[in-house]
Amino acid sequence: MKRLSETAQFTAPLSTSTHRLAQQFRHQHRNPQKAKQVYLNTLAVSAVEFYLRCMGVDTDWSISQSYDPIMQSLLDVADLDLPGKGKLECRPLLETTTATALKIPLEICRDRIAHIAVQLAPSLQEATLLGFVPANCEEIVLDQLRSLDDLADYLNQIQPTSYRVNLSNWLENLFETGWQSLTALT
């Protein structure tokens, strides 16, 4: 396994429009901790979206949970939808932290195709994509990240999905595998 310093990384700018969107999302939450979490999550997703656009990978952030204020308030989400593939989780990490791992919230862990660690600069003007881990994990151990060099191949191996969730069943307390009631989440 390569050490983190030996893996390919990518630094993305965090534009004024990205900060404007993060601020817009932040203002929709009264709890200061939730507002900060949403702000940082938005910056991380934006950085990953920028990288994937540079790589020619289609994304649709507007249908992601992290773009929905209701889902932002219910969950700690930083997802980015890849049409026909699934969702990437873009977990932010402040550069000033000494963390060796990032926790993945259990409610989102199972339905992501991969998790990407995104280190935000102290100025919040840029973000570095450190690497990724495949889906189905509860934490990202930073020194076990796979290189971004492998991400395109990994995404190409994922078969197109046509899975749809019927939310009206959820509202009637009928749950498909992997789903649970709102009260079970709190």
Side-chain angles (χ1 to χ4, degrees):
M1 182 73 47
K2 292 181 182 179
R3 291 182 317 178
L4 185 58
S5 61
E6 296 173 354
T7 64
Q9 299 176 353
F10 180 87
T11 301
L14 297 172
S15 67
T16 303
S17 61
T18 295
H19 281 278
R20 229 179 289 126
L21 179 62
Q23 197 72 326
Q24 176 186 337
F25 286 158
R26 169 189 242 164
H27 287 305
Q28 295 173 354
H29 304 282
R30 291 185 181 176
N31 178 308
Q33 286 178 290
K34 175 56 83 170
K36 180 180 179 181
Q37 175 192 81
V38 167
Y39 192 90
L40 297 177
N41 286 352
T42 302
L43 297 180
V45 173
S46 177
V48 172
E49 182 183 46
F50 180 85
Y51 171 73
L52 292 174
R53 276 193 324 234
C54 291
M55 299 300 294
V57 176
D58 289 332
T59 64
D60 190 350
W61 190 2
S62 67
I63 64 169
S64 301
Q65 293 174 326
S66 61
Y67 206 86
D68 180 344
I70 294 171
M71 295 307 287
Q72 291 170 358
S73 67
L74 295 174
L75 305 170
D76 178 6
V77 289
D79 64 320
L80 180 60
D81 189 76
L82 306 184
K85 298 283 186 185
K87 295 179 184 294
L88 290 175
E89 186 67 22
C90 315
R91 300 310 302 172
L93 169 70
L94 293 173
E95 191 175 290
T96 56
T97 187
T98 58
T100 59
L102 294 171
K103 292 283 183 200
I104 304 295
L106 288 177
E107 64 267 17
I108 62 164
C109 188
R110 290 177 202 86
D111 71 343
R112 301 301 192 248
I113 58 174
H115 307 279
I116 299 179
V118 181
Q119 187 174 57
L120 302 172
S123 67
L124 299 180
Q125 297 305 305
E126 63 183 22
T128 301
L129 282 63
L130 300 176
F132 78 101
V133 294
N136 297 324
C137 64
E138 294 180 15
E139 71 176 2
I140 299 172
V141 179
L142 297 178
D143 65 359
Q144 294 178 2
L145 288 169
R146 289 178 60 178
S147 173
L148 289 178
D149 287 340
D150 301 333
L151 184 61
D153 288 338
Y154 177 79
L155 294 175
N156 286 333
Q157 294 172 4
I158 295 172
Q159 298 299 314
T161 60
S162 61
Y163 180 75
R164 292 187 182 259
V165 173
N166 187 344
L167 288 179
S168 63
N169 286 345
W170 188 65
L171 295 172
E172 295 172 18
N173 287 324
L174 302 172
F175 307 107
E176 297 178 33
T177 303
W179 284 74
Q180 53 187 312
S181 70
L182 183 58
T183 55
L185 292 174
T186 57

